[in-house]
Amino acid sequence: MAEKLLEVNDLKVSFFTYAGEVQAVRGVSFHVNKGETLAIVGESGCGKSVTVHSLMRLIPSPPGKIKEGSIIFDGIDIISLSEKQMNEVRGSKMGMIFQDPMTSLNPTMTISQQIMEGIMRHKDVSKKEAFEEAIRILELVEIPNARKRANNYPHQFSGGMRQRVMIAIAIACNPMLLIADEPTTALDVTIQAQIIDLMKAIQKKMNTSIILITHDLGVVADIADRVNVMYAGEIVESGTLNEIFYDPYHPYTWGLLESVPRLDMAEDKPLVPIPGTPPDLLDPPKGCPFADRCKYAMVICKEQHPEMTSCSKTHKVSCWLTHPDAPKVERPLGGMKIE
């Protein structure tokens, strides 16, 4: 049985604004096993980034606040740690690759200085030893001519190379968990593939667990072991990569998959966008949050929130269509039916 590195239970995160309480994350529970990759997918604004920023305790307070829940990482409850204790965890045990390297990197510091900063904070090494370690890590992330480029500044690197530097900073202290928040969003597809291959190679070499935040299902298919589908601050479906891609149960998951080009798609079949917009999390709906956009919605969908039910040992979904009394509908992908 796989050993859990991270376990999140009933996490609730809100932002208190002039307009009221925005319930950004609403009772999220999931786990990450040692050495595996978990992808969290969904539309912009569904709560993906807020969830992983909560794991690192990077939610700005005010206006943000972790209201409820527990985050157990390597046997330690992250929420109970002081800021000083949390600073020891960040970088050494948890690393994060942020979305935009140009705004995340310090323009006034050389690349080597930015990598050395974390090494010298968490390891008992001299400045010279930290510099040599920075060179080794730059070579690991495949920066050409690493020793010379180490003294360059971020603006002297291309977008793909800056992202490699971000990965180098994140893995500098051999973290147990690497969180990648949309690491390929601003890159072209060729560079995207290189970054994903690099992350897989690093994971294999260091046995690091990865949480990947993305809305790009092509990236998910290439790297993930398991997938959580988020919508309106909740996880609406979770399962292995094959279960989510080939045996999905939630209409929102169907919508995500139908809106992406596929090699097995007929040439004359158009992509189908998901109609409507996500609900306002200042006043979340009491029923299923996807009900207003779902063509299969029933009366109960708007009146009562569906429970998370098991489709298999690894596959769970929050949808009234899985109820025994619900009408049978034909699932769009592969013509399969819910039994």
Side-chain angles (χ1 to χ4, degrees), residues 219-234:
V219 171
V220 172
D222 197 24
I223 192 172
D225 298 306
R226 291 187 300 112
V227 183
N228 286 344
V229 180
M230 277 195 81
Y231 183 76
E234 302 177 0

Side-chain angles (χ1 to χ4, degrees), residues 92-137:
S92 63
K93 293 186 176 181
M94 283 187 188
M96 190 161 190
I97 306 167
F98 292 95
Q99 188 168 350
D100 184 0
M102 198 59 205
T103 55
S104 301
L105 293 170
N106 188 330
T108 67
M109 294 172 65
T110 66
I111 295 305
S112 60
Q113 287 173 328
Q114 297 188 56
I115 300 172
M116 289 165 62
E117 194 173 31
I119 296 171
M120 295 184 72
R121 182 186 186 91
H122 297 291
K123 294 183 178 181
D124 184 19
V125 294
S126 67
K127 194 170 183 179
K128 184 178 178 182
E129 288 171 327
F131 180 75
E132 291 302 320
E133 180 66 7
I135 299 300
R136 186 190 69 80
I137 294 166

Side-chain angles (χ1 to χ4, degrees), residues 143-157:
I143 297 288
N145 201 2
R147 188 168 294 275
K148 183 179 178 182
R149 301 298 312 265
N151 293 316
N152 288 163
Y153 291 85
H155 72 271
Q156 295 173 282
F157 286 75

